[in-house]
């Protein structure tokens, strides 16, 4: 006989962990107890040595799908003579459960039940269990139980109550458990907001089949759905939603259906079918389908709520599913707001009476060379924390602005927010501020210090400054690209000094100019700038971001090439000569934009990053690069792009295929990075390099660059758990602030 104390750290509360342990303990004839702690659960178990060993072996293998076991610590303790197995009630504990599960897509067991005509939840749109269903989006407060979720409006019927209290049942302690007797109900409203009678899901399907646009209430907000096989319907949706060219996501009935339009690798299938159900960017199978996406990829997701499953059938197996919001405002989540805001856009509304407490957009990821990358880490992932080394203080990191996020640190956890959006919208800013308070309450965090970007005009900076002043808290302002670098270090659990290649559109540098093609060396404490690119003049400042032909003009002019072909060339020349609103930028995004315009791919952007995305999509397989010229500018090794621009112009004049030039352009950047990093490694002795910044959403770069750098003897790290774009930035800010000892009061 042996007695063990087993401490399990991770996400093991509210995920069906205790019933699982109960079963496993019984299988191995063990006795003892289990109780929740602030960081997980603690087990005291007694039994035969072999049985205990088997228990420990099976524990991580058989754990419920939502559980995340970070660490199992086992210690032998004196014999206690337990005679049974006991679950010690967590309510009596002083310390609060700190972790909350994300929303999880419907599980295979529930799907089977809802397809079974004999089951009492046959075709029930709110079926869920311990392993699946809404969590984060319905929780109002902690501790997590039904009374503190939007399910409180639906008292359990005796049948559900019995399941809830039966430890043998797969709905044991499933807070949102319900059935057709006691649960929420569906409604269908027409364009005028009048309710329709009948089989509600069938009404929605009929409307969709007829080509109508239907607003569908999901987990974290509304979607606008319509048929995706008809370009004219998609066109109507674009017009009504004022979404000119930005790609639409598609919901496919299953992976089989997704394969009709896209290639789906085994890894992509695993993620599509997994419990978190993000949108996965897949390669289009054939040309066409431009009405869905103008580049080579389509964002595809599978149905993740039982309601979504009811949308398919009667000949429908694929739908456009786009977030219901207007020009960058937050996604619509409330019924009344939906009818109001989507008037004239939606022809029908498929809604229900379970309130969405917290909005949460779909997550967006892709798979490249076997790795999963995020553009947006939101529904299905948030608020699951990223683990970091123990933090002495509780800190709020306020993020950037256009792709805002925040991050709260406590103990060994960093809680990143869901996708928030662009803070320049008043509604988005309010959403941001409310979510910060919501997270602080949920996770019982009282920030003792704040950290934000260096940019004085970011609304996240203003928020941090005001709050620091009001509450008398110290505030640290961190340079944008240093934060990116730190985010990637934290993402990979790195400490100490490294090199950081940070490429993005823009971020304020320590010299007051805009940066974005940077090579840094440093750690969480600080950094030096070792490399960059030759600064680019941006005639018109921010206008140049939306109108890449302005950047093309300035690249051509600096390179000594003819600018006659450029729109407004004369006026741009006058503006540049006068130096009127012509800031300098080393943003890699600008270089992409300018080259995209020179190659005739895109002169103006109707959504962020469009010119760069289309350039990537246009690139062929061609190997080869333009000459790389690096210039030492007082210790900063700058990539001088002028020779490259001249070569591109020459190719264009001689009729070289755009696909060849686009590929060579990216290969040239890879060569430039390799040369810069080789020099930096030699100078500093550092071998580890982290890649961060929004430019690394480019899959051509991410496919080729790491191999090229590893050939130079460098070890390359990329983002794995958070986005490389500004959404992941707050994690870096948090780690930098945590690494500082004392910070000055603001
Ligand atoms: Zn389930
Ligand atoms: Zn019920
Ligand atoms: Fe950035």
């Amino acid at each position: 006989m042996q007695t063990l104390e087993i401490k399990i750290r991770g996400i093991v509360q509210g995920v069906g962990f205790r019933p699982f342990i109960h079963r496993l303990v019984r299988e191995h004839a063990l006795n003892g107890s289990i109780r929740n702690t602030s960081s997980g659960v603690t087990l005291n178990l007694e039994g035969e040595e072999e049985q205990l060993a088997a228990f420990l072996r099976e524990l991580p293998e058989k754990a419920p799908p939502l559980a995340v076991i970070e660490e199992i610590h086992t210690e032998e303790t004196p014999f206690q003579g337990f005679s049974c197995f006991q679950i010690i009630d967590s309510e009596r504990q002083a310390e609060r459960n700190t972790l909350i599960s994300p929303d999880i897509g419907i599980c295979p067991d529930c799907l089977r039940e809802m397809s079974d005509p004999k089951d009492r939840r046959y075709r029930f749109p709110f079926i869920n269990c311990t392993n699946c269903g809404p969590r984060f989006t319905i929780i109002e407060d902690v501790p997590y139980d039904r009374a503190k979720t939007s399910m409180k409006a639906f008292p359990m019927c005796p049948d559900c109550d019995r399941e809830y209290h039966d430890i043998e049942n797969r709905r044991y302690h499933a807070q949102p458990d319900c059935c057709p007797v006691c649960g929420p109900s569906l409604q269908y409203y027409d364009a005028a907001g009048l309710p329709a009678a009948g089989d509600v899901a069938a009404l929605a399907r009929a409307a969709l089949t007829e080509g109508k646009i239907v607003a569908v209430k999901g987990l974290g907000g509304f979607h606008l759905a319509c048929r995706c096989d008809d370009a004219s319907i998609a066109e109507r949706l674009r017009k009504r939603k004022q979404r000119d060219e930005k790609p639409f996501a598609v919901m496919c009935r299953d992976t089989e259906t997704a394969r009709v339009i896209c290639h789906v690798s085994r890894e992509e299938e695993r993620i599509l079918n997994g419990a978190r159900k993000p949108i996965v960017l897949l390669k289009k199978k054939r040309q066409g389908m431009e009405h869905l996406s103008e580049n080579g990829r389509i964002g595809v997701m599978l149905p993740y709520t039982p309601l979504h499953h009811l949308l398919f059938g009667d000949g429908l197996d694929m739908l456009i599913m786009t977030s219901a919001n207007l020009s960058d405002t937050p996604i619509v989540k409330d019924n009344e707001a939906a009818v109001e805001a989507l008037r004239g856009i939606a022809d029908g509304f498929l809604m229900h009476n379970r309130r969405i407490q917290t909005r949460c957009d779909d997550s967006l990821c892709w798979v490249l060379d076997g790795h999963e990358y995020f553009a947006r880490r939101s529904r299905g992932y948030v608020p699951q924390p990223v683990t970091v080394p123990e933090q002495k203080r509780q800190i709020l990191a306020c993020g950037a602005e256009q792709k805002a996020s925040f991050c709260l640190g406590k103990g060994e956890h960093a809680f990143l927010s869901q996708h928030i959006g662009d803070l320049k919208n008043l509604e988005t800013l309010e959403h941001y501020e409310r979510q910060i308070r919501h997270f602080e309450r949920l996770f019982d965090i009282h920030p003792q210090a704040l950290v934000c970007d260096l940019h004085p005009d970011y609304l996240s900076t203003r928020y941090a400054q005001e709050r620091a002043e009001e509450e008398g808290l110290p505030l640290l302002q961190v340079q944008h690209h240093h934060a990116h670098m730190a985010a990637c270090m934290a993402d990979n659990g790195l400490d100490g000094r490294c090199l950081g290649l940070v490429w993005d559109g823009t971020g304020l540098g320590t010299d007051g100019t805009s940066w974005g093609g940077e090579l840094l060396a440093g750690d969480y404490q600080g950094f030096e700038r070792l490399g960059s690119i030759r600064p680019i003049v941006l005639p018109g400042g921010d206008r140049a971001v939306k109108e890449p032909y302005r950047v093309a003009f300035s690249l051509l002019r600096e390179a000594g090439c003819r600018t006659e072909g450029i729109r407004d060339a004369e006026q741009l020349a006058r503006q540049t000569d006068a130096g009127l609103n012509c800031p300098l930028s080393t943003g890699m995004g600008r270089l992409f934009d300018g080259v995209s315009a020179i190659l005739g791919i895109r002169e103006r952007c109707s959504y962020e990053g469009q010119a760069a995305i289309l350039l990537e999509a246009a690139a062929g397989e061609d190997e080869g690069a333009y000459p790389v010229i690096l210039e030492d500018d007082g210790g900063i090794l700058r990539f001088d792009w002028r020779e490259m621009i001249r070569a591109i112009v020459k190719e264009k004049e001689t009729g070289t295929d755009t696909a060849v030039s686009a590929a060579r352009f990216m290969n040239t950047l890879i060569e430039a990075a390799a040369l810069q990093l080789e020099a930096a490694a030699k100078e500093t002795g550092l071998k580890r390099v982290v890649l961060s910044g929004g430019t690394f959403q480019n899959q051509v770069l991410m496919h080729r660059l790491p191999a090229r750098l590893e050939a130079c003897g460098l070890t390359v790290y990329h983002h794995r758990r958070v986005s490389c774009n500004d959404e992941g930035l707050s994690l870096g800010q948090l780690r930098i602030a945590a690494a500082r000892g004392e910070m000055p009061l603001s």
Side-chain angles (χ1 to χ4, degrees), residues 400 453 458 480-481 484 502-507 515-516 692-695 724-727 729:
D453 198 271
Y458 280 0
H480 188 90
H481 302 91
H484 269 306
V502 185
W503 287 359
D504 67 0
T506 180
W515 292 6
S692 190
T695 302
C724 66
N725 68 37
D726 282 5
E727 191 185 285
L729 194 85

Side-chain angles (χ1 to χ4, degrees), residues 108 125 144 166 259 288 330 450 469 485 494 511 541 586 599 624 659 698 718:
Y144 169 52
D166 175 9
R259 282 209 167 88
L450 302 174
E469 194 159 326
M485 174 182 175
L494 302 184
D511 60 1
T586 58
L599 289 175
N698 180 309
H718 54 74

Side-chain angles (χ1 to χ4, degrees), residues 281-323:
L281 279 177
L282 300 175
K283 213 176 260 158
K284 276 186 190 171
K285 213 161 209 171
R286 48 192 154 81
Q287 287 306 306
M289 299 181 290
E290 263 69 32
H291 62 288
L292 300 178
S293 161
E294 57 174 354
N295 64 57
R297 298 194 169 83
I298 298 180
V300 172
M301 62 183 145
L302 299 192
Y304 54 87
T305 68
L307 176 56
H308 290 149
H309 281 277
L310 298 181
L311 290 175
F312 296 102
D314 298 344
L316 288 172
D317 51 13
M318 257 185 245
L319 292 167
I320 288 178
M321 280 286 225
T322 184
S323 311

Side-chain angles (χ1 to χ4, degrees), residues 33 74 85 101 180 267 282 292 321 334 342 408-409 414 448 486 612 676:
S33 67
T74 311
F85 183 72
S101 163
E267 181 66 6
L282 300 175
L292 300 178
M321 280 286 225
D334 298 319
L342 304 176
L408 281 155
Q448 295 158 293
Q676 281 179 325

Side-chain angles (χ1 to χ4, degrees), residues 647-701:
I648 289 173
V649 168
K650 193 179 266 170
E651 281 187 350
K652 204 183 169 203
E653 284 166 358
T654 54
T656 306
D657 195 339
T658 304
V660 173
S661 302
R664 286 185 179 159
F665 162 65
M666 288 186 278
N667 287 341
T668 308
L669 298 183
I670 290 170
E671 284 310 305
L675 294 174
Q676 281 179 325
L677 277 160
E678 248 181 337
K682 214 166 161 190
E683 190 188 321
T684 60
L686 300 171
K687 293 277 179 223
R688 299 181 301 177
V689 52
V690 295
L691 305 179
S692 190
T695 302
F696 291 117
Q697 294 178 106
N698 180 309
Q699 296 193 28
V700 173
L701 287 184

Side-chain angles (χ1 to χ4, degrees), residues 476-541:
L476 182 69
Q477 287 190 266
V478 172
Q479 199 278 322
H480 188 90
H481 302 91
H482 184 212
H484 269 306
M485 174 182 175
C488 192
M489 289 171 64
D491 201 348
N492 287 281
L494 302 184
D495 210 341
R497 279 172 63 78
C498 344
L499 298 167
L501 190 67
V502 185
W503 287 359
D504 67 0
T506 180
L508 184 61
T510 50
D511 60 1
T513 70
S514 167
W515 292 6
E518 313 308 313
L519 167 56
L520 312 179
D523 52 21
Y524 295 122
Q525 302 287 344
F527 73 97
E528 308 109 63
R529 187 187 192 199
L530 297 184
S532 186
I533 66 171
R534 182 188 168 86
I536 301 166
V537 179
L538 301 183

Side-chain angles (χ1 to χ4, degrees), residues 279-481:
I279 300 172
V280 183
L281 279 177
L282 300 175
K283 213 176 260 158
K284 276 186 190 171
K285 213 161 209 171
R286 48 192 154 81
Q287 287 306 306
M289 299 181 290
E290 263 69 32
H291 62 288
L292 300 178
S293 161
E294 57 174 354
N295 64 57
R297 298 194 169 83
I298 298 180
V300 172
M301 62 183 145
L302 299 192
Y304 54 87
T305 68
L307 176 56
H308 290 149
H309 281 277
L310 298 181
L311 290 175
F312 296 102
D314 298 344
L316 288 172
D317 51 13
M318 257 185 245
L319 292 167
I320 288 178
M321 280 286 225
T322 184
S323 311
N325 60 342
L326 277 176
S327 47
D328 290 333
T329 56
I331 187 168
V332 175
K333 75 174 177 68
D334 298 319
N335 294 1
E336 310 74 49
V339 173
E340 182 68 25
L342 304 176
R343 182 167 294 155
I345 298 178
D347 303 309
F349 298 84
L350 183 58
M351 308 199 285
H352 57 74
N353 54 351
R354 185 181 69 205
R355 213 169 59 81
I356 297 172
Q357 163 65 28
T358 300
R359 54 169 65 86
C360 199
D361 291 77
D362 295 319
S363 292
L364 177 62
C365 71
W366 62 90
V367 177
L368 179 66
D369 301 328
H371 300 284
E372 184 181 10
Y373 293 87
F374 287 100
R376 181 192 294 164
R377 179 189 180 271
S378 205
R379 178 191 45 80
Y381 298 86
V382 171
Q384 190 174 309
V386 170
T387 43
V388 292
E390 178 76 27
Q391 300 162 104
K392 288 191 196 79
R393 284 183 300 180
Q394 300 183 358
I395 298 170
L396 166 64
C398 296
E401 182 176 75
Q402 208 188 3
K403 286 184 163 51
S405 77
F406 59 85
C407 187
L408 281 155
K410 178 188 182 183
E412 291 171 324
H413 292 133
F415 297 94
L416 270 113
S417 70
Q418 72 271 45
H419 166 83
I420 300 281
D422 190 343
L423 298 183
K424 280 194 214 79
N425 285 289
L426 185 62
E427 292 97 329
T428 311
L429 182 63
E430 283 168 2
H431 174 44
Y432 169 83
E433 297 184 357
R434 265 199 308 274
Q435 282 304 304
I436 290 177
R437 298 295 183 174
H438 186 54
F439 268 62
E440 286 175 3
R441 196 168 53 244
L442 289 184
F443 303 111
D444 193 22
I445 296 176
H446 309 275
Q448 295 158 293
L450 302 174
V451 50
C452 66
D453 198 271
L454 205 58
H455 204 304
D457 299 334
Y458 280 0
L459 291 170
S460 54
T461 303
R462 302 247 180 100
Y463 172 84
Q465 285 169 335
E466 279 167 28
R467 199 166 155 186
E469 194 159 326
E470 273 168 28
E471 298 179 21
L473 295 172
L475 171 69
L476 182 69
Q477 287 190 266
V478 172
Q479 199 278 322
H480 188 90
H481 302 91

